[in-house]
Every structure is written in C-alpha cells, then in structure tokens.
C-alpha cells in the first residue's frame, strides 16, 4: 500500500464532514416547515394565517357595507 499525501487525507476528511452535514437537508421526508433546516412556515401555521386573513377581509367588507348603509340613511 502506497503512502497517501496528507492533503488527500484532509480533502477526504473535509468532504466526509460536509457530506454528513448535508444528509438532513437532502433526506427530507417531512412536511414543509417541520424539518431542522427549513425556512418555510409549517402548514398548520400557514392554514391558520389564511383563515385569519379571510376572517379579517370578511369583517372589513361588512364594515364597508355598514358604512354605506349609514351614509345612505
């Protein structure tokens, strides 16, 4: 067996560490927003925010209609 240059060992070690750190990123079998390195919002939070946004829009629309009725009267 020939001796391997120390720079080759350093390169192999570095690539091994980078590969091990990349495993959680590329082995995603979880929902968006629930894994360790996710920058996305979890689905549950997104659904709650959408529901609140729709409720707010409905409330604003009702207030506009009420103002129109008051102005007409």
């Amino acid at each position: 067996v020939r001796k391997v240059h120390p720079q080759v060992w350093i390169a192999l070690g570095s690539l091994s560490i980078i590969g091990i750190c990349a495993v959680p990123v590329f082995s995603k079998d979880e929902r968006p927003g629930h894994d360790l390195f996710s920058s996305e919002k979890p689905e549950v939070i997104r659904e709650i925010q959408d529901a609140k946004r729709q409720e707010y829009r409905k409330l604003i629309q009702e207030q506009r209609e009420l103002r129109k009725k008051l102005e007409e009267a």
Side-chain angles (χ1 to χ4, degrees):
V1 178
R2 289 186 339 163
K3 286 190 175 181
V4 180
H5 198 283
Q7 289 180 343
V8 174
W9 286 113
I10 293 170
L12 284 174
S14 298
L15 289 174
S16 299
I17 291 171
I18 292 171
I20 290 171
C21 292
V23 167
V25 175
F26 294 110
S27 64
K28 291 171 100 175
D29 59 340
E30 296 184 19
R31 297 180 306 195
H34 290 275
D35 57 345
L36 186 60
F37 298 107
S38 179
S39 62
E40 301 174 11
K41 290 182 185 177
E43 292 176 30
V44 175
I45 292 176
R46 196 174 323 127
E47 290 172 0
I48 291 172
Q49 288 178 340
D50 288 343
K52 285 184 179 181
R53 200 172 294 123
Q54 288 177 353
E55 182 180 332
Y56 178 74
R57 287 180 185 153
K58 184 177 178 181
L59 180 66
I60 295 296
Q61 186 65 30
E62 290 174 357
Q63 288 177 351
R64 287 178 183 164
E65 291 173 3
L66 184 61
R67 284 183 189 159
K68 281 185 180 180
K69 288 181 182 178
L70 291 174
E71 288 176 357
E72 290 174 359

